[in-house]
Amino acid sequence: MMQRNIALVASNAPAALEAEAELRPMYDFVDMAEADLVIALGGDGFLLHVLHQMLDRRRTLPVFGMNRGSVGFLMNDFRAEALLERLSNASQYIIHPLSGEITTIDNERHILPAINEISLLRETRQAAKLEVMVNGKTMLDELICDGLLVSTPAGSTAYNLSANGPILPLESALLALTPISPFRPRRWRGAILPEATSFQFNVLEAVKRPVSAVADQREIRDIKHVRVTADRSRPLTLLFDPDHGLDDRIAMEQFAF
C-alpha cells in the first residue's frame, strides 16, 4: 500500500461536511501545504474551485474527487472504507487548462485560466458580432450570435454540450469551438481543432453590442478581444477509480438520451 501525504478538503454543502466528519477520524490527513495528493468532497463546481486554487498558487497536486454534490461528472463515488487502496489503484488523467488573454474596451488586460471552457457572451438584448481568428487567420469575418466558447475535453460535456457542441475524448488533445445560438452564418456549427491551436476573437461594435468573457466561473465584462490558447506548462491531474474512469463517462454521454 502506497504511503501518501493526503489533504482533505470539502465544500460547504451539508453532505460534504458530513462526509468530511466521517473521514477525518479514520485517516491521517495533513495540511494542503504538506500534501502530495488531495481528496475533494463536493460536486463538480467545488472540484473546479480546488483546481483553480492550485493554478493560482502555482502548486498543482493530483486530486481524487468524491461526489457529495449533485451531478458529480468529474467525481468518484463516495465511500469511506478502503480509501487508501482506492488511491493506490486510481487511474491518472492529465488535463491542460486554457489561458485567456482578455482585453477590455478600456484597455485593461486580464489573464485567466479555465479548466472547462472560455466563453464570450452578449451582455444585452442585442446579439454579439464577433470576428473569429484561428492561428492568426480570419476564419469568420462576422459571426452574429449569443456567444461562442472554446472547450477542453474535460469541459466538453458541460456548457459545450448544452450548446450542441461535440463531446471530446479526454486524451484526444483537441479543443471544441462552439457557437451559442448562431444567427449568421446560420449553418455554422463550430469546429474541432488541435490543442495547439491559437484562437482570437475580436468584438465588433463592442460599445453598442457589449460582450463579456467568462473563464469557467470568472467573468470580465465589456471586452474588445480575447486570445485563447492551451496552457501545457501547468498540467492538472485527476484521479479516478479504475472501474469508473472519466473516459468511460465521456463515452457513455455520447449514447445518452
Side-chain angles (χ1 to χ4, degrees), residues 100-112 120 123 200-207 209-214 218-227:
E101 298 182 24
I102 303 165
T103 304
T104 70
I105 58 177
D106 293 328
N107 289 318
E108 295 178 353
R109 184 170 174 267
H110 306 266
I111 299 179
L112 296 181
L120 279 68
E123 295 180 11
Q200 180 156 324
F201 310 115
N202 300 316
V203 180
L204 309 177
E205 303 178 27
V207 175
R209 302 171 181 270
V211 171
S212 66
V214 182
R218 306 180 191 185
E219 181 183 24
I220 304 296
R221 296 179 69 84
D222 301 332
I223 65 169
K224 67 178 180 182
H225 57 253
V226 178
R227 182 173 181 268

Side-chain angles (χ1 to χ4, degrees), residues 26 33 47 85 92 98 116 134 153 155 162 183 188 215 230 239 243 255:
M26 298 176 63
L47 180 65
E85 288 86 349
Q92 292 191 32
L98 300 172
N116 274 358
V134 174
S162 298
F183 179 67
W188 186 65
L239 302 176
D243 60 346
F255 298 90

